[in-house]
Amino acid sequence: MVPAAEQVAATAETYPEADTNVYTVSVTRNGVPEERDSFAPDVQEVVDAALDDLKSLGSSPEAPLLVLNPFGTNTTGVHAQFETEGSGTLTYTVSSPGTEDFTRVAKDHDPSAASFEGQLIGVVPGAENTVTTTWQPDDGGPTEFSFTMTAPPSASGDRTTLDRTVVGNAEELTDGLFAVMGLRRHIDYTLLYDNAGVLRAEFDLDGYRTDRLEFYGDTMVTTVGTDKVARIDGLGRVVATHVLAGFEMHHDFDVTDDGKLVILATETAKGSVEDVLVSLDLETGTYEKTVDFTELLADYKSRTQPYGPGFYGPGEVDDWLHLNSVDWSPDGDSVIVSARENSAILKVDDVHGNPTADYIIGQREVWAGTGAEDLLLEKTGDFPDTGGQHSVVRHDDAALADGQYYLTMFDNSFWSMRSRPDYTAPVPVGTSPVPTADPSLRSEYRKYLVDENAGTYSEVETVPVPYSAIVSNVQDLGGPLVVNSGQALTFAEYDAQRQVIARFDYALAGTTEDDFAYRVLKYGFDDLWFAAP
């Protein structure tokens, strides 16, 4: 017997907490209201159809169609649509009591010059917001429209304002929104804060954190489930989801120049975890395992053993490498990966062909007798190696010679290698065994110069930052830095001279030392939500 097809429908209703007609869209399945799965294709299709039915209500810039979070991906995003008499620009300002005004130019996603369609970002959850729009046609005078709405409360229940401490000149903060990802107390939400520490957007995910955001074509790409990747357009519409059956994603991914994601993953049929690389083609949806580090580093793996209890629960787990970041380069189709468990940085070449280990950076004694000694780069200078580092990123620089480039990273300065209980050789000077946040200790932002031709690496910069034994990241914004010390529940933006401009604390009353944000990255969202400058 063939089961009856499910009937999914979307219905538009007026939102009661607004002084003009703002709509919401509810979804039913077989006539029963359901909590929306925003990443289900059938849900996106019926929501799209409901918006089409409402289009005629957006008759002009003075009478736009406004729909609150129709696609269910951004809890306070407002879909705006209206007819025009030609092309133009929509500038808008969100004003809310007790916060700085938030002004942006919205990107127009409608290719027709006869209408505008975009998403207004910046409404503060749980607060009264007045949104003032100004439509400036290419020919003619401006048209202004304003509406006031009390937004629904934060879906995550988290803070709408962070504690901000301005140390330098706040006007020097770079444009953009800080994306707080993998907040353990609300793992399936990503919170986006402005430079004043005000919550301006909130991604509702599917049971897993955002590991990072990448941009491909006219879409934003991110992890939303442990085995699910989504592409989301500037309107908040989920245009594609990809399920990686047989794998669970963790920690990080990157996008290649030809539209593939290289993803850190666990192969669920294996006994070990967090030690393979998967490649996903964003156009076709096909995927494959491209690198298995149990094969690439087989001799080293034979020296390790499962351990527990730990992050994965009370039992033992074969977490012998614990990859935590990946950065792809077109130079030889290579990746730089960071391994927390043995505090190593590895480069692998030809990841979509015949993968080979190119080099290793790390404590030399860890690799003694493993057959990988010849892969170790030589250290030039007197400085300790890293301890449990995160977010290792390659930076090519035209001013450097061929074969040279920089690596930046968050050095946790934490040493723990539970998979090698027999290891008694020296550990890097300055590392600590303390597994939690400790204000008396320091982690570091570090920058290396790698010279592949000479087979060397040297340290060119180090900056002390609040200590976090695990998680955390740095982001080089082309001079300024964003640094997140996860267990310390704080992030900051530094200027090019490595002085703190402003620090943001995101602890929440009642949380414990087990709380943290995995990453904080800053994005401009230009050409996605906002018009490109």
Side-chain angles (χ1 to χ4, degrees):
M1 181 176 178
V2 178
E6 291 189 322
Q7 300 296 315
V8 182
T11 304
E13 303 164 339
T14 55
Y15 179 66
E17 301 296 327
D19 67 353
T20 190
N21 280 342
V22 175
Y23 293 87
T24 61
V25 177
S26 60
V27 176
T28 60
R29 190 176 295 273
N30 297 329
V32 179
E34 71 166 13
E35 184 176 349
R36 183 186 315 180
D37 177 359
S38 299
F39 302 97
D42 55 358
V43 170
Q44 294 291 307
E45 289 171 7
V46 297
V47 170
D48 227 1
L51 289 180
D52 281 341
D53 291 342
L54 294 172
K55 272 186 177 180
S56 62
L57 298 180
S59 58
S60 69
E62 304 100 314
L65 168 65
L66 302 169
V67 186
L68 176 63
N69 186 25
F71 296 104
T73 53
N74 182 8
T75 62
T76 59
V78 177
H79 182 91
Q81 189 171 21
F82 52 85
E83 294 180 4
T84 70
E85 295 181 355
S87 57
T89 300
L90 184 73
T91 302
Y92 70 95
T93 296
V94 180
S95 303
S96 184
T99 68
E100 297 179 7
D101 284 356
F102 183 85
T103 299
R104 293 292 190 273
V105 177
K107 176 170 179 173
D108 186 357
H109 290 270
D110 192 327
S112 169
S115 58
F116 172 91
E117 186 176 26
Q119 184 179 188
L120 309 183
I121 302 295
V123 170
V124 182
E128 182 180 276
N129 295 262
T130 297
V131 182
T132 303
T133 65
T134 301
W135 173 253
Q136 177 60 63
D138 291 346
D139 297 312
T143 299
E144 190 172 286
F145 173 79
S146 180
F147 67 97
T148 297
M149 61 179 287
T150 298
S154 163
S156 67
D158 215 287
R159 302 177 58 168
T160 56
T161 304
L162 301 181
D163 297 328
R164 183 180 77 156
T165 303
V166 177
V167 181
N169 182 356
E171 294 183 358
E172 294 182 2
L173 291 167
T174 56
D175 291 335
L177 296 172
F178 296 101
V180 179
M181 308 174 180
L183 196 58
R184 200 170 185 193
R185 60 187 183 244
H186 301 304
I187 193 69
D188 51 354
Y189 290 92
T190 294
L191 311 178
L192 278 71
Y193 293 90
D194 65 14
N195 284 340
V198 177
L199 183 60
R200 296 296 182 177
E202 184 180 48
F203 296 159
D204 191 351
L205 307 173
D206 193 20
Y208 180 66
R209 70 184 178 217
T210 297
D211 280 329
R212 70 167 57 247
L213 303 175
E214 290 289 348
F215 300 90
Y216 175 71
D218 58 356
T219 63
M220 175 175 63
V221 184
T222 190
T223 47
V224 296
T226 56
D227 63 353
K228 187 182 296 184
V229 173
R231 290 178 57 194
I232 305 170
D233 69 13
L235 298 174
R237 179 194 296 118
V238 179
V239 299
T241 57
H242 305 288
V243 176
L244 307 182
F247 298 94
E248 291 184 353
M249 299 178 291
H250 65 90
H251 287 94
D252 208 6
F253 65 90
D254 199 7
V255 65
T256 70
D257 289 346
D258 59 350
K260 294 183 176 67
L261 289 192
V262 287
I263 306 167
L264 297 182
T266 290
E267 189 172 7
T268 55
K270 287 176 54 179
S272 57
V273 300
E274 301 190 351
D275 56 7
V276 303
L277 194 69
V278 171
S279 178
L280 166 67
D281 189 312
L282 290 171
E283 292 296 333
T284 66
T286 58
Y287 62 94
E288 61 177 341
K289 179 175 67 174
T290 58
V291 182
D292 188 333
F293 285 85
T294 62
E295 298 172 1
L296 207 63
L297 300 172
D299 288 344
Y300 177 85
K301 168 112 179 35
S302 69
R303 292 173 173 262
T304 67
Q305 64 184 53
Y307 63 90
F311 186 80
Y312 297 95
E316 290 190 337
V317 64
D318 192 3
D319 190 14
W320 66 282
L321 194 59
H322 197 102
L323 297 175
N324 62 23
S325 74
V326 59
D327 189 52
W328 178 84
S329 170
D331 179 18
D333 186 24
S334 63
V335 293
I336 302 289
V337 295
S338 166
R340 191 194 81 186
E341 175 63 13
N342 58 13
S343 299
I345 300 166
L346 303 95
K347 178 171 181 269
V348 180
D349 289 334
D350 197 18
V351 295
H352 290 96
N354 181 30
T356 56
D358 186 9
Y359 68 68
I360 300 170
I361 295 174
Q363 188 77 1
R364 182 166 293 274
E365 291 84 353
V366 169
W367 300 91
T370 67
E373 296 94 333
D374 291 344
L375 296 175
L376 286 159
L377 295 186
E378 291 289 336
K379 182 192 302 183
T380 59
D382 183 16
F383 59 94
D385 283 306
T386 57
Q389 72 293 320
H390 284 71
S391 69
V392 181
V393 175
R394 171 174 171 163
H395 302 271
D396 292 288
D397 189 327
L400 296 175
D402 289 344
Q404 293 183 339
Y405 49 86
Y406 297 112
L407 298 178
T408 59
M409 68 205 74
F410 186 102
D411 177 12
N412 298 72
S413 303
F414 170 66
W415 188 270
S416 174
M417 197 161 53
R418 296 175 67 192
S419 63
R420 297 273 305 274
D422 59 336
Y423 181 82
T424 58
V427 302
V429 174
T431 57
S432 169
V434 176
T436 56
D438 185 334
S440 72
L441 300 173
R442 285 291 179 267
S443 297
E444 292 183 312
Y445 159 76
R446 297 180 75 175
K447 185 175 184 178
Y448 285 171
L449 173 64
V450 172
D451 188 333
E452 290 194 6
N453 296 324
T456 62
Y457 67 103
S458 57
E459 184 176 76
V460 297
E461 188 178 12
T462 179
V463 178
V465 300
Y467 180 75
S468 180
I470 59 171
V471 300
S472 311
N473 69 284
V474 298
Q475 180 188 20
D476 187 334
L477 298 175
L481 296 175
V482 172
V483 179
N484 169 52
S485 296
Q487 287 180 305
L489 299 169
T490 184
F491 66 88
E493 184 167 330
Y494 293 67
D495 63 21
Q497 288 71 47
R498 305 307 183 237
Q499 300 299 308
V500 173
I501 303 173
R503 178 167 299 283
F504 303 82
D505 295 321
Y506 53 88
L508 184 66
T511 59
T512 71
E513 64 184 19
D514 292 330
D515 194 21
F516 54 72
Y518 182 70
R519 280 197 180 99
V520 176
L521 296 170
K522 198 171 194 181
Y523 299 97
F525 297 100
D526 293 329
D527 214 29
L528 183 80
W529 293 337
F530 312 126

